[in-house]
Amino acid sequence: MTPDPLSWNEWHLTLLSPWGWPGRVMAFLSALLVLILAWRALRRDTRPRRYVLLSLRALGLAAALTLFLQPALQLRNVTRLPNHVAVLVDASESMSLAERAGEPSRAERAAQLLRREQKVLQRWRQKHHIDFYTFGDRLMPATQEALLRPGGATSRADATRIREALAALRQRYEGRDLAGVVLLSDGLDNGRLSAGQRERQGTVSAERADPNEPVQLDGDTRDFLRALDAPIHTVAVGRPGLHDVAVARILADEFAFARTAAQVEARILVLGADEAGWVGRRLPVTLRRDGQPLLTVDVEVHKGQRDYRVLFPFTPERVGTYVYEVSTPTVPGEAIAENNRRAFVLRVIRDKIRVVHVAGRPSWDVRFLRGLLKHDPNIDLVSFFILRSPSDIDLGPSSETSLIPFPCEELFQQQLRSFDLVILHNFNYNAYCAQYLQPSIVPFVQEGGALAMIGGELSFSSGGYYGSAVAQVLPVELLPETMAPSPIGGPAAPRDRLVNIESFRPRLTPEGRSHPLTALQLEVRENERRWQELPMLEGVNLVARLKPGAQALLSHPFVKDADGRPLPVLSVMEVGKGRTMALLADSTWRWGFGATEEGGGDARGTAYQRFYEQAIRWLIRDPSLRLLRVETSESEYGREQPVRIVVRALGPDYRPAMRTEVAVAVSRIGDQAWEAPKPVLNRTLRTGEEGDAHLEIGPLSPGGYRITARATLGGRLTEEIEVFIVRGAGRELESPEADPRYLVALSQATSGRALGPDDSLDGLWFHEPHVVRINRHQDVEIWSRSWVLVVAVVCFGLNWTLRRRWGYA
């Protein structure tokens, strides 16, 4: 819409003389010198004579200067196009706050001021067009009616970015005439305007040392304001006296290492403690993980202190992605409760894989595996060998040997949770650590630990594990020590038949053909050929059968289990959040002496090394072996922001699994440990040509959320979990106390005025509208009037005559 033009008359005084500014200045200085000399000559005369002669001399000089400078009046009738006054009203979340109960909110104060100043706005409209906007994290056009309604503008924006709003305003008025800006805000900028100040302080705005200290705008901002070329008049609608406790800032890394000490720093902001009577109160500040309290620190409120630094040292035990939260209870009289908690996502990764390898006696198999683990730079190995059992006959006392007692209590009770993987290698359960391993192993595995048992004459049923807690988490059912099936599936045999000593070459099962643990080669046929070429194994432990839910990856070619099925030589199972593996042979070291692969090159040890590397990676849930992956576009979302979820499915050969159904469930994590997750969404997706599927949900209420995806890949059910959070209190409420300092700095830098909520808008100045057309123009020459010359002659003549009569000449 084109604004209506305005017409009015105006005049300007101009000088037509051709002498330029140097000649004009010299003329003025000469006239001034003549007056000074005349005053000095007449200073001894009587006052009436002195006044008369000086007045005549001054009038004559004025007339002479008029003739010399040739002044003229330029009379014009012009048409001007009204320019624009932009009224910007802060619509961020902090504007919804009221400093005290019963008082109007900051947004309502802005609305009251605009309603009160309607006559002033109407006068502005005589020369300007008034455009209304709201701003927070972005600039949005608004109507005057929306800003004047009770309660003011809707205040939901998550940030206050004043400079960004002014930059968007300049872009809107590019090539147009901006007369000036009126900005109503509480001044809580968290954008580029205050970025320089935050960098100099090394803190957020909540941690400024002196709230009354003026701020200095950086050079880039001052250049930007000069380019804007418009006065900015600011109105600070906030008032002092806010009472609030806020978790203002969380300083934490994006990731931490499992079993390595980490630290989270929380900045607690306490406003108005003296007036609210909170001095001396102890505020409990709690760190939670997925709703479970980890640590609580009490903060004592001191007189005159606003900022408190709270440190939470802790050690993450397990790899994964977790929602952590720092919170403090709501204090009576607080203005805001939403900013008393703040959540963040922490990814716990491995620095090194911690493995404890316990061997019942030295052997070639133990030596090979220990050497492999020891020389892997990604593994932190703790290894124990049993060199002397309690039943061994030794004539010398134990105190005179260099051997140490086996540290059962320390290893399996005190330090067990610090390991990723426990390997029991031909280790006798009853002889050493039954009382320590029994209560610890099941929780260890269910909470995410990994357990591998490798065969031998001291392992499985031969090691006394039947009926133990360890047997509960193994993927195979053990036999009683007194009974075992015959090697060919016949009637039961005595204890000495718990181990079969015949040589054999294990066979890949259908599950083993697609499982990453047994993938010596990626190509299926090449992988089967590789397994057939491996050296034969010597001996196998006998078990009753495979447990329900477990998978047999390698089977015996002729030995059967109690049900007549092929004996599971290698089997795996998911137990809670952990995994277990059972290898019923102790001669896999022979795989380190396989034949050279086709194509040349020595491949000695390749199969052995790859097998155990794959086994360890699978047992500890190495991310590179995941067939199902869940990702979110962000780990932290705003309240109005949609959540975008991407699910990727891979086949056993790690190629995209196309047209695969994936069940996705989203649930809200409880704020307290006793709260059950609250289902939010259950949906089945189908992957596309690239093996991925996309889902968008939200907006969601504030809190922590868990995504659980399930799909059948490679013939087995696969599950993957990811977490994210939706912010409650945004950056606006980190430090909710009004801060007019940036508003004052903006006004000072642009020659505007800084006002308060009770001040009037009357008297603010703006750029005049630009002339678009001159309708009439006339120059009235003052110097060419005859009376100017007459005045000059009469004054100088009369002055000369009087001086002669009074005796000066």
Side-chain angles (χ1 to χ4, degrees), residues 139-173:
L139 185 72
M140 298 291 292
T143 62
Q144 180 175 347
E145 292 74 18
L147 300 180
L148 296 181
R149 65 189 178 191
T154 303
S155 303
R156 294 288 294 173
D158 193 35
T160 301
R161 298 191 174 100
I162 297 177
R163 177 173 166 178
E164 287 81 351
L166 294 174
L169 189 71
R170 183 178 69 173
Q171 187 175 5
R172 281 178 174 268
Y173 289 94

Side-chain angles (χ1 to χ4, degrees), residues 384-452:
F384 288 95
F385 294 87
I386 305 300
L387 299 179
R388 176 185 174 187
S389 69
S391 60
D392 289 340
I393 300 176
D394 195 337
L395 300 179
S398 299
S399 59
E400 295 182 2
T401 68
S402 60
L403 304 179
I404 62 172
F406 188 77
C408 290
E409 181 178 3
E410 180 181 0
L411 188 63
F412 292 132
Q413 195 170 65
Q414 299 175 5
Q415 301 294 329
L416 183 62
R417 292 173 59 87
S418 69
F419 293 99
D420 296 299
L421 171 63
V422 174
I423 300 177
L424 302 179
H425 200 157
N426 195 24
F427 178 69
N428 191 330
Y429 171 75
N430 285 325
Y432 301 99
C433 303
Q435 69 272 32
Y436 300 106
L437 194 58
Q438 179 90 358
S440 304
I441 194 64
V442 174
F444 168 75
V445 175
Q446 289 181 337
E447 293 174 7
L451 172 68

Side-chain angles (χ1 to χ4, degrees), residues 521-801:
Q521 301 287 339
L522 289 179
E523 206 278 323
V524 176
R525 292 183 179 179
E526 182 66 23
N527 186 50
E528 291 185 3
R529 184 188 67 82
R530 188 80 177 104
W531 277 101
Q532 293 172 1
E533 293 177 349
L534 292 180
M536 299 178 67
L537 302 180
E538 291 186 352
V540 65
N541 289 82
L542 303 180
V543 296
R545 62 184 58 83
L546 191 71
K547 282 185 179 179
Q551 290 181 304
L553 307 183
L554 295 175
S555 63
H556 203 286
F558 52 84
V559 175
K560 309 297 182 181
D561 64 13
D563 297 330
R565 297 186 179 93
L567 187 73
V569 177
L570 175 66
S571 56
V572 294
M573 187 171 66
E574 306 264 353
V575 181
K577 297 180 180 180
R579 289 173 171 176
T580 61
M581 180 185 81
L583 177 58
L584 306 183
D586 67 343
S587 54
T588 54
W589 61 275
R590 294 175 174 271
W591 292 346
F593 295 93
T596 302
E597 294 188 19
E598 294 180 6
D602 186 6
R604 181 165 297 181
T606 299
Y608 180 83
Q609 180 176 348
R610 182 167 178 81
F611 169 75
Y612 276 104
E613 286 178 349
Q614 293 288 92
I616 293 172
R617 290 168 62 192
W618 183 86
L619 284 167
I620 66 171
R621 296 181 182 270
D622 190 295
S624 63
L625 292 182
R626 293 182 301 177
L627 298 181
L628 184 62
R629 302 174 186 182
V630 181
E631 300 173 357
T632 56
S633 56
E634 306 284 344
S635 61
E636 183 176 338
Y637 292 89
R639 287 170 300 183
E640 305 299 328
Q641 189 176 359
V643 178
R644 294 179 176 87
I645 302 172
V646 179
V647 179
R648 290 185 172 86
L650 302 175
D653 56 356
Y654 293 94
R655 294 178 181 177
M658 300 180 291
R659 294 179 290 277
T660 299
E661 289 190 351
V662 181
V664 178
V666 180
S667 58
R668 190 180 187 278
I669 301 172
D671 294 331
Q672 303 293 335
W674 48 266
E675 293 186 37
K678 301 175 183 178
V680 174
L681 175 82
N682 287 283
R683 188 168 298 178
T684 300
L685 307 178
R686 183 178 290 272
T687 60
E689 297 297 324
E690 299 297 327
D692 58 357
H694 299 258
L695 176 64
E696 182 173 309
I697 60 174
L700 301 173
S701 60
Y705 291 84
R706 180 181 289 110
I707 306 169
T708 304
R710 294 183 178 91
T712 301
L713 300 171
R716 60 189 179 92
L717 182 63
T718 303
E719 179 180 282
E720 186 63 24
I721 295 175
E722 181 62 287
V723 299
F724 65 91
I725 61 175
V726 177
R727 288 193 302 268
R731 286 163 291 184
E732 278 292 296
L733 302 184
E734 290 178 358
S735 174
E737 188 178 33
D739 185 3
R741 300 179 302 160
Y742 290 102
L743 303 180
V744 173
L746 282 176
S747 296
Q748 291 176 348
T750 58
S751 301
R753 290 178 57 191
L755 307 175
D758 299 326
D759 294 332
S760 174
L761 301 180
D762 194 17
L764 301 184
W765 74 274
F766 303 103
H767 291 312
E768 291 292 335
H770 288 176
V771 175
V772 295
R773 185 172 66 250
I774 300 176
N775 302 316
R776 292 189 304 276
H777 179 273
Q778 181 182 1
D779 290 336
V780 179
E781 297 180 348
I782 300 174
W783 66 276
S784 62
R785 306 300 183 185
S786 58
W787 58 265
V788 177
L789 181 60
V790 172
V791 170
V793 173
V794 170
C795 287
F796 283 125
L798 187 57
N799 180 277
W800 181 79
T801 303

Side-chain angles (χ1 to χ4, degrees), residues 299-502:
V299 174
E300 184 175 355
V301 179
H302 299 287
K303 182 178 178 62
Q305 184 175 350
R306 297 160 44 97
D307 305 304
Y308 298 85
R309 180 170 174 258
V310 182
L311 299 179
F312 294 101
F314 68 103
T315 302
E317 294 292 341
R318 293 295 175 198
V319 173
T321 305
Y322 303 95
V323 174
Y324 285 80
E325 182 187 70
V326 176
S327 64
T328 183
T330 303
V331 180
E334 269 197 83
I336 318 158
E338 291 85 355
N339 59 2
N340 285 48
R341 61 180 63 240
R342 192 172 182 88
F344 61 98
V345 172
L346 183 66
R347 301 187 184 277
V348 181
I349 62 176
R350 291 182 178 88
D351 181 16
K352 285 189 175 183
I353 305 170
R354 281 183 54 83
V355 178
V356 57
H357 179 212
V358 182
R361 64 181 54 174
S363 68
W364 283 108
D365 204 49
V366 170
R367 179 179 178 180
F368 267 64
L369 181 56
R370 181 179 181 275
L372 175 68
L373 299 175
K374 182 179 179 181
H375 291 93
D376 191 329
N378 297 316
I379 291 179
D380 182 12
L381 176 65
V382 176
S383 181
F384 288 95
F385 294 87
I386 305 300
L387 299 179
R388 176 185 174 187
S389 69
S391 60
D392 289 340
I393 300 176
D394 195 337
L395 300 179
S398 299
S399 59
E400 295 182 2
T401 68
S402 60
L403 304 179
I404 62 172
F406 188 77
C408 290
E409 181 178 3
E410 180 181 0
L411 188 63
F412 292 132
Q413 195 170 65
Q414 299 175 5
Q415 301 294 329
L416 183 62
R417 292 173 59 87
S418 69
F419 293 99
D420 296 299
L421 171 63
V422 174
I423 300 177
L424 302 179
H425 200 157
N426 195 24
F427 178 69
N428 191 330
Y429 171 75
N430 285 325
Y432 301 99
C433 303
Q435 69 272 32
Y436 300 106
L437 194 58
Q438 179 90 358
S440 304
I441 194 64
V442 174
F444 168 75
V445 175
Q446 289 181 337
E447 293 174 7
L451 172 68
M453 181 175 288
I454 301 176
E457 68 273 17
L458 301 178
S459 194
F460 295 101
S461 296
S462 301
Y465 288 93
Y466 177 80
S468 68
V470 178
Q472 298 177 23
V473 296
L474 290 177
V476 291
E477 292 184 8
L478 302 184
L479 294 166
E481 296 182 30
T482 57
M483 299 295 293
S486 69
I488 57 173
R495 175 182 172 85
D496 60 355
R497 301 303 299 274
L498 291 175
V499 176
N500 183 285
I501 61 174
E502 295 184 62

Side-chain angles (χ1 to χ4, degrees), residues 139-215:
L139 185 72
M140 298 291 292
T143 62
Q144 180 175 347
E145 292 74 18
L147 300 180
L148 296 181
R149 65 189 178 191
T154 303
S155 303
R156 294 288 294 173
D158 193 35
T160 301
R161 298 191 174 100
I162 297 177
R163 177 173 166 178
E164 287 81 351
L166 294 174
L169 189 71
R170 183 178 69 173
Q171 187 175 5
R172 281 178 174 268
Y173 289 94
E174 192 76 34
R176 301 164 65 189
D177 194 3
L178 181 61
V181 179
V182 179
L183 190 148
L184 294 82
S185 173
D186 56 9
L188 291 182
D189 180 82
N190 38 48
R192 292 182 61 187
L193 181 65
S194 58
Q197 185 77 5
R198 292 198 303 269
E199 290 175 1
R200 287 191 293 272
Q201 293 179 349
T203 58
V204 295
S205 58
E207 299 148 13
R208 55 184 181 266
D210 184 1
N212 299 316
E213 179 184 356
V215 297

